[in-house]
Amino acid sequence: MEILGATLRICVDDLETAVPFYERLADGTALRFERGGVSVAAVGCFLLMSGPPAELEVLRKVAATIAVKDVDETLAVLTELGAHIVAGPIASPAGRNLIAMHPDGMVYEYVDRRG
């Protein structure tokens, strides 16, 4: 399993106010999309999310998004290591993803760009 990088997940009250700060900080332009009633802006290593409190409560339980070369391979490794697969693999705007709870209780999203 090849890990390509990680993205920090940040829930914000006002996406429009937060995006310019993170664009300047990361020296990049945000890629924006909507998912399940949540507005998302990806910029650099940051994933900003804003939306209904109930939706954000669920999203806050995921510690980080980890980019991997292949979600299927990641699924096999996580399963072998005793992780609990919470959701996926499924297609998402960023690529295929899955959400897994590690044996220590930490929850992570894994995503590849294979589409």
Side-chain angles (χ1 to χ4, degrees):
M1 173 177 120
E2 184 176 346
I3 295 176
L4 305 174
T7 300
L8 304 171
R9 299 166 62 94
I10 304 168
C11 295
V12 298
D13 292 330
D14 183 352
L15 195 63
E16 297 310 313
T17 300
V19 165
F21 173 85
Y22 284 96
E23 284 180 327
R24 176 69 176 97
L25 185 64
D27 193 26
T29 302
L31 169 66
R32 295 172 183 244
F33 57 93
E34 297 279 325
R35 181 143 189 217
V38 175
S39 298
V40 180
V43 58
C45 66
F46 303 102
L47 187 65
L48 309 172
M49 300 172 286
S50 183
E55 294 288 330
L56 294 181
E57 182 179 333
V58 172
L59 294 172
R60 282 188 173 101
K61 294 178 181 177
V62 179
T65 297
I66 300 170
V68 295
K69 186 172 183 180
D70 184 333
V71 163
D72 294 326
E73 180 185 358
T74 300
L75 173 64
V77 171
L78 288 169
T79 301
E80 177 185 325
L81 294 173
H84 170 69
I85 306 305
V86 176
I90 60 169
S92 77
R96 295 170 45 247
N97 75 339
L98 66 83
I99 296 176
M101 180 184 294
H102 293 186
D104 62 9
M106 294 299 296
V107 178
Y108 296 94
E109 174 186 37
Y110 291 86
V111 64
D112 67 24
R113 301 266 183 214
R114 292 175 59 186

